[in-house]
Amino acid sequence: ATLNEKNAPEILQFKQDVVDRLQGALSAQEEYEEALESDMSQELRRMVLSLENKRVRYLLKMYHRTRLQKIEKFAASIVADDQYKDRLSEGSLPELARQCSLHQGSYIP
């Protein structure tokens, strides 16, 4: 989903199910990693899990960052077309409203 969003010229449908599954898996992995902290014989496994968790967190942040950049860049187009507005997550709507108000304030005649 991250690479698709990054390479698409327009904002794509928000993948809520993918984000939720990744966040759930990440939470479970982090709990397992914490459980391994006390066992020194599992240090290598804990380090690998930690690295994998950081990678997944990075990909999730990149996905959200890319979507926010597109909202900032195409705010007027997204507001004008309901098809694009329907592709946003519930959390992205306040950012869209903020961007629109910023753009309206910058066009002083």
Side-chain angles (χ1 to χ4, degrees), residues 32-93:
Y32 182 60
E33 179 187 343
E34 288 176 12
L36 291 176
E37 283 183 9
S38 61
D39 188 3
M40 293 307 280
S41 65
Q42 298 291 324
E43 184 67 19
L44 180 61
R45 180 178 292 208
R46 190 189 63 75
M47 289 172 55
V48 170
L49 281 173
S50 175
L51 188 60
E52 179 67 13
N53 291 343
K54 287 178 185 177
R55 186 184 72 81
V56 171
R57 261 188 255 113
Y58 172 77
L59 289 173
L60 281 170
K61 286 179 184 179
M62 183 171 42
Y63 179 67
H64 289 295
R65 190 178 325 118
T66 301
R67 291 186 61 82
L68 284 175
Q69 288 170 347
K70 286 184 179 183
I71 290 170
E72 289 172 0
K73 188 173 183 180
F74 303 117
S77 299
I78 293 171
V79 168
D81 190 350
D82 286 338
Q83 176 187 2
Y84 291 126
K85 201 184 301 183
D86 292 340
R87 296 178 182 181
L88 300 179
S89 68
E90 292 296 321
S92 298
L93 293 175

